[in-house]
């Protein structure tokens, strides 16, 4: 067998046939050198006939030198090989191991810079990829940015040395600048700008094509020995395969990140009652997509829906499910249905996806007028409330099972919120890891949020930009404290921090109305008086028409109790409450109809309008833009 021949000869051996019983066409073997003789044999099983060429044999010797050094405790020399050559062989072997672990293009560049440049005495490295007839720089070391900018995007036809190397697939070794000037006069500008003297142009071949070039350079003129040329040539083949694989990963990684960005909010809205910041961290290294999501949704009457959820699992399928759930949540939120009914519909949606799909979710509605936060939990941790004095409160409630496994009805919980509170919503990946359980992580989160600095910075900001910047910094502090080594995490993590603001008492007024024709006149009179008191006289006529129409519809079609509420915020909000659950709808009235145009008038006079349903009735609301000040 080939391994025995290699040991007896003390060198390379190659035998045709399936001597090892593996189905191979032949076996090449070379001893693993140690300090006191061979410590083993490296065998390569060949798929086709023929022996390895000299370049491949040099590569096998380099790998055997590296492996033998690891097994024997120190690098071993091949016969009379100089120490520098042995070091290079060992380094190439180490490079092979490093390239096997390289994931991104940057990893490949760093591996080559670490294991190749020092033993060859090189101090420059450039990777150029041929794309669309142009050479694009994808990684470099030891070059100024100005020179790399000159190279990046250069047409292949304009770079004669690279063109020759890629066309012939043969390395080219330049020992001094003068040689480049003599052989390639058209490269004068690039040659003069380069800080290097000697250059090795190494073609990178992958999948049977010349994908680009690896350039190893030196600050001083030098010659290249046969052994150096052989190792550098072998190096280019290794690097080409690794770089192609890494670039495929980079491409998929970029697509995954773009997918995740498209599924999550690009920016969170700044609302009168809430300003927020958020973070999403995918699990360690991988596709960087997962099922965690968050959202901040404006509702009527300055109310705000805060959502965070986690589709169980990690990857593209979970991200797609997350996108469907987030879209469904936003659609159901616009309908302003009760929370338990919203969760029942979400549960049906997840159940229809199949038995293997589950998701946890927290959906909370902040009412700045009532100063309450109403929420539902489906297998999700409860929110953390940070009061203005720095105290931290974590509600002790039992969540319903996850969506897809729960059975309605869902329980609704409520919190009373002081003005200027923080609501912290998170997924379990933030507090739970391999080194701590969820309770330990939650306690650590509590300690981080209760620091005096949090209360001082995040509650004192009056300016929107300062407030949001403070929340962004708090998010960074929480993430770095709970996930200091994010690359080692195995679960996605989501975080949403919301700074709540309650409505000032003087900005909301209400009036109880009788359920008879006098109600519309009383509503108009009340609107005139209140808008004059608020300095909004320009909106009196329009608001009178709106409330007159809404109150008239209630008197005609609904029932007691009837109430009018006005809310001054970034817009003027008019609400009419009644005790009926009938749904108002715009209809198309014909030319001869005497009615049916009221809601068309409401839609034309307001920026937006809608209805929300209460446990004992409904509310019809409108919003109007405030006049410029």
């Amino acid at each position: 067998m080939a391994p025995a021949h290699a040991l007896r000869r003390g060198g390379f051996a190659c035998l045709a046939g399936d001597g090892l019983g593996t189905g191979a066409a032949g076996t090449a073997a070379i001893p693993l050198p140690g300090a006191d003789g061979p410590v083993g044999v490296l065998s390569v099983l060949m798929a086709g006939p023929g022996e390895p060429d000299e370049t491949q044999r040099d590569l096998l010797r380099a790998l055997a030198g590296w492996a033998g050094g690891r097994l024997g405790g120190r690098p071993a020399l091949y016969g009379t090989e100089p120490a520098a050559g042995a070091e290079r062989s060992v380094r190439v072997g180490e490079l092979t191991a490093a390239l096997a672990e390289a994931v991104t293009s940057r990893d490949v560049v760093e591996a080559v810079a670490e294991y190749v440049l020092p033993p060859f005495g090189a101090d420059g490295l450039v990777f150029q990829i041929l794309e669309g007839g142009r050479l694009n720089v994808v990684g470099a070391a030891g070059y100024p940015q100005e020179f790399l900018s000159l190279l990046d995007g250069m047409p292949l036809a304009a770079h004669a040395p690279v063109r020759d190397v890629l066309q012939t697939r043969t390395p080219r070794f330049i020992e001094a600048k003068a040689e480049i000037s003599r052989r390639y006069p058209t490269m004068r500008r690039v040659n003069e700008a380069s800080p290097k003297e000697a250059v090795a142009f190494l073609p990178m071949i992958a999948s049977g094509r010349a994908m680009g070039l690896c350039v190893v350079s030196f600050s001083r003129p030098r010659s290249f020995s046969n052994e150096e040329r052989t190792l550098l040539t072998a190096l280019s083949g290794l690097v080409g395969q690794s770089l192609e694989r890494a670039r495929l990963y980079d491409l998929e990684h970029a697509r995954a990140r773009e997918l995740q960005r498209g599924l999550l909010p690009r920016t969170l809205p700044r609302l009168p009652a809430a300003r927020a910041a958020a973070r999403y961290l995918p699990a360690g290294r991988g596709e960087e997509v997962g099922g965690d999501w968050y959202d901040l949704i404006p509702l009527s009457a300055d109310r705000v829906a805060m959502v965070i959820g986690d589709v169980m699992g990690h990857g593209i399928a979970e991200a797609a499910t997350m996108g469907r759930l987030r879209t469904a949540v936003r659609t159901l939120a616009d309908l302003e249905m009760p929370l338990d009914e919203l969760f029942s519909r979400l549960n049906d949606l997840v159940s229809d996806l199949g038995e293997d799909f589950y998701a946890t979710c927290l959906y909370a509605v902040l009412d700045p007028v009532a100063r309450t936060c109403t929420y539902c939990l489906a297998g999700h941790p409860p929110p953390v409330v940070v009061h203005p004095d720095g105290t931290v409160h974590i509600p002790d409630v039992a969540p319903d099972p996850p969506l897809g496994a729960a059975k309605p009805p869902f329980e609704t919980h409520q919190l009373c919120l002081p003005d200027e509170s923080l609501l912290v919503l998170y997924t379990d990946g933030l507090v739970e890891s391999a080194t701590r359980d969820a309770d330990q992580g939650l306690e650590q989160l509590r300690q981080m949020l209760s620091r005096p600095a949090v209360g001082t910075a995040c509650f004192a900001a009056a300016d929107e930009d300062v407030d949001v910047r403070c929340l962004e910094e708090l998010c960074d502090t929480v993430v770095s404290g709970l996930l200091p080594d994010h690359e080692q995490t195995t679960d996605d993590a989501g975080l949403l921090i919301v700074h709540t603001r309650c409505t000032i008492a003087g900005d909301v007024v209400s009036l109880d109305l009788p359920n008879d024709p006098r109600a519309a006149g009383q509503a108009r009179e009340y609107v005139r008086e209140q808008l004059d008191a608020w300095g909004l006289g320009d909106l009196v006529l329009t608001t009178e028409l709106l409330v007159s129409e809404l109150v008239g519809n209630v008197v005609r079609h609904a029932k007691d109790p009837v109430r009018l509420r006005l809310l001054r915020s970034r817009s003027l909000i008019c609400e009419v409450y009644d005790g009926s659950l009938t749904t108002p709808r715009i209809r198309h009235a014909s030319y001869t109809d005497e009615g049916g145009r009221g809601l068309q008038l409401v839609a034309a006079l307001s920026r937006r309008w809608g209805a929300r349903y209460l446990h004992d009735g409904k509310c019809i609301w409108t919003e109007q833009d405030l006049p410029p000040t």
Side-chain angles (χ1 to χ4, degrees):
M1 295 186 293
H5 280 266
L7 282 177
R8 283 199 296 269
R9 296 177 183 177
F12 177 82
C14 183
L15 293 179
D18 187 17
L20 297 178
T22 61
T27 305
I30 187 170
L32 300 175
D36 301 317
V39 295
V41 180
L42 170 64
S43 297
V44 176
L45 308 179
M46 299 183 296
E51 296 188 2
D53 58 29
E54 191 57 37
T55 299
Q56 293 170 328
R57 294 188 188 190
D58 286 333
L59 177 58
L60 290 179
R61 294 189 184 98
L63 293 176
W66 171 75
R70 290 297 181 91
L71 294 172
R74 64 182 180 85
L77 306 183
Y78 280 103
T80 60
E81 185 182 26
E87 181 189 357
R88 283 194 287 267
S89 296
V90 172
R91 284 301 186 102
V92 172
E94 293 173 337
L95 171 67
T96 304
L99 291 178
E101 298 177 358
V103 176
T104 66
S105 298
R106 182 177 178 180
D107 295 339
V108 174
V109 175
E110 291 177 351
V112 175
E114 179 180 356
Y115 294 108
V116 174
L117 299 190
F120 283 92
D123 53 15
L125 179 67
V126 180
F127 286 99
Q128 293 176 278
I129 298 297
L130 181 61
E131 295 175 317
R134 292 184 175 271
L135 294 165
N136 297 320
V137 176
V138 297
Y143 279 92
Q145 186 57 46
E146 295 78 7
F147 180 73
L148 296 177
S149 299
L150 179 63
L151 290 182
D152 195 24
M154 177 178 289
L156 177 62
H159 203 308
V162 176
R163 183 188 63 228
D164 291 349
V165 169
L166 292 182
Q167 286 179 349
T168 62
R169 300 190 179 187
T170 303
R172 183 143 301 176
F173 300 91
I174 306 297
E175 299 183 349
K177 268 188 175 184
E179 184 179 349
I180 295 182
S181 301
R182 183 178 66 256
R183 298 175 63 174
Y184 304 103
T186 59
M187 297 297 298
R188 178 179 177 182
R189 181 187 173 198
V190 174
N191 194 30
E192 291 178 351
S194 175
K196 308 301 180 183
E197 289 287 341
V199 183
F201 294 101
L202 308 172
M204 293 188 295
I205 311 299
S207 301
R209 64 181 182 89
M211 62 176 293
L213 204 73
C214 173
V215 179
V216 178
S217 56
F218 307 80
S219 294
R220 295 181 179 181
R222 61 160 296 175
S223 59
F224 296 88
S225 67
N226 291 334
E227 182 260 345
E228 289 174 331
R229 292 172 183 249
T230 298
L231 283 180
L232 286 173
T233 302
L235 159 72
S236 65
L238 288 173
V239 173
Q241 297 289 342
S242 298
L243 190 60
E244 183 185 44
R245 183 185 69 247
R247 282 177 56 78
L248 288 175
Y249 171 85
D250 290 339
L251 179 61
E252 293 302 318
H253 180 258
R255 289 174 177 171
R257 288 176 65 91
E258 187 62 30
L259 170 65
Q260 192 74 58
R261 282 195 295 265
L263 293 174
L264 292 175
R266 291 187 178 271
T267 58
L268 293 173
R270 300 183 183 185
L271 306 173
R275 296 162 191 168
R279 292 291 182 273
Y280 166 75
L281 291 91
R285 273 191 170 183
E287 295 171 323
E288 291 216 5
V289 291
D292 288 19
W293 91 93
Y294 55 84
D295 214 341
L296 194 71
I297 307 171
L299 304 176
S300 62
D302 277 354
R303 296 175 311 122
V304 182
M306 299 162 287
V307 193
I308 194 164
D310 180 4
V311 176
M312 295 185 183
H314 178 80
I316 298 294
E318 287 73 16
T321 301
M322 175 268 283
R324 297 174 67 177
L325 282 178
R326 179 172 175 251
T327 301
V329 168
R330 292 193 70 92
T331 302
L332 296 174
D334 286 342
L335 297 176
E336 303 217 45
M337 60 180 59
L339 271 65
D340 55 347
E341 183 179 348
L342 184 148
F343 263 55
S344 295
R345 298 199 180 189
L346 282 180
N347 186 63
D348 292 341
L349 173 62
V350 177
S351 298
D352 290 342
L353 295 177
E355 296 181 354
D356 296 332
F357 286 90
Y358 302 98
T360 68
C361 185
L362 187 161
Y363 183 95
V365 174
L366 168 67
D367 188 335
V369 176
R371 303 193 173 203
T372 59
C373 176
T374 307
Y375 63 96
C376 275
L377 301 171
H380 205 88
V384 177
V385 184
V386 185
H387 295 268
D389 61 2
T391 59
V392 179
H393 171 60
I394 302 176
D396 185 13
V397 295
D400 287 294
L403 300 173
K407 298 293 182 184
F410 289 86
E411 186 173 358
T412 301
H413 311 277
Q414 190 172 85
L415 292 170
C416 294
L417 290 180
D419 194 16
E420 305 285 348
S421 297
L422 292 183
L423 280 173
V424 181
L425 285 59
Y426 58 93
T427 60
D428 56 1
L430 185 70
V431 297
E432 192 172 4
S433 69
T435 59
R436 65 169 182 260
D437 58 28
D439 291 337
Q440 293 172 327
L442 186 57
E443 180 58 31
Q444 187 176 348
L445 175 61
R446 180 202 292 269
Q447 294 174 3
M448 297 177 67
L449 294 173
S450 63
R451 293 175 180 172
V454 173
T456 302
C458 288
F459 299 112
D463 182 79
E464 279 191 7
D465 293 334
V466 176
D467 192 8
V468 172
R469 186 164 60 248
C470 172
L471 293 174
E472 296 283 353
E473 293 173 355
L474 181 57
C475 283
D476 291 336
T477 300
V478 170
V479 168
S480 60
L482 292 174
L483 301 174
D485 191 7
H486 171 246
E487 292 292 332
Q488 304 302 318
T489 58
T490 58
D491 193 10
D492 306 320
L495 172 66
L496 175 66
I497 301 181
V498 183
H499 184 189
T500 66
R501 292 176 178 270
C502 297
T503 304
I504 300 173
D507 285 341
V508 56
V509 295
S510 64
L511 173 68
D512 292 329
L513 295 170
N515 189 13
D516 60 47
R518 296 173 301 166
Q522 294 178 13
R524 289 193 296 270
E525 181 180 358
Y526 186 75
V527 165
R528 286 194 299 270
E529 294 176 354
Q530 188 58 51
L531 294 191
D532 286 339
W534 280 344
L536 299 176
D538 293 344
L539 296 180
V540 169
L541 180 59
T542 304
T543 309
E544 280 186 329
L545 289 172
L546 288 172
V547 299
S548 181
E549 181 61 37
L550 295 180
V551 172
N553 282 342
V554 167
V555 172
R556 188 176 300 110
H557 303 294
K559 61 181 181 180
D560 287 337
V562 182
R563 181 164 62 95
L564 169 67
R565 189 171 81 163
L566 300 177
L567 177 63
R568 179 179 62 174
S569 180
R570 292 179 182 174
S571 60
L572 177 63
I573 302 168
C574 302
E575 298 177 323
V576 176
Y577 295 81
D578 64 69
S580 171
L581 293 175
T582 57
T583 303
R585 299 182 184 277
I586 293 181
R587 68 183 182 89
H588 295 283
S590 66
Y591 291 110
T592 58
D593 287 345
E594 296 181 359
R597 299 176 180 84
L599 290 182
Q600 295 183 28
L601 178 65
V602 169
L605 294 178
S606 57
R607 184 180 68 181
R608 64 177 189 143
W609 73 281
R612 67 175 182 270
Y613 298 91
L614 315 171
H615 65 280
D616 57 353
K618 69 174 180 296
C619 167
I620 310 297
W621 55 268
T622 67
E623 287 187 8
Q624 302 172 75
D625 291 325
L626 298 182
T629 57

